[in-house]
Amino acid sequence: LLGATLILAFIALAPARLKLPLALIVTVETLSDWTENLLVARMLDAGPEGLDPDLVGWASAATVTKSALSTLAFLALIMLLLRRYLLRRGRPHG
């Protein structure tokens, strides 16, 4: 749901040349989130005795990827909202 909301916000706010790159960032972020969830569920199912260090490493990589892309997406959203505000503020009212 968050991914869809961000993509819709980028479609509404971003210049045409940025719509696809921003949507791709959000798509990869969402896939990283789902991957993280799947891997954490596998780790929980395995329990402490069955914990695989490789699985932990992949889950960690998915978490870091998700976090970095989420941060990038939210920074882009903030910048686009600020851009919209500044553009509207500079227009004469009428």
Side-chain angles (χ1 to χ4, degrees), residues 1-18:
L1 187 57
L2 176 60
T5 303
L6 284 169
I7 288 174
L8 290 174
F10 290 147
I11 288 170
L13 296 170
R17 70 183 190 286
L18 294 179

Side-chain angles (χ1 to χ4, degrees), residues 8-27:
L8 290 174
F10 290 147
I11 288 170
L13 296 170
R17 70 183 190 286
L18 294 179
K19 290 180 192 294
L20 181 60
L22 290 171
L24 288 174
I25 288 169
V26 173
T27 301

Side-chain angles (χ1 to χ4, degrees), residues 16-73:
R17 70 183 190 286
L18 294 179
K19 290 180 192 294
L20 181 60
L22 290 171
L24 288 174
I25 288 169
V26 173
T27 301
V28 174
E29 181 273 332
T30 300
L31 292 173
S32 298
D33 184 34
W34 291 347
T35 301
E36 174 196 31
N37 293 344
L38 175 70
L39 295 173
V40 168
R42 284 188 182 177
M43 289 189 296
L44 291 171
D45 287 343
E49 305 82 28
L51 198 56
D52 178 8
D54 288 336
L55 192 59
V56 173
W58 284 107
S60 177
T63 300
V64 170
T65 301
K66 176 191 78 168
S67 298
L69 293 176
S70 293
T71 301
L72 184 61

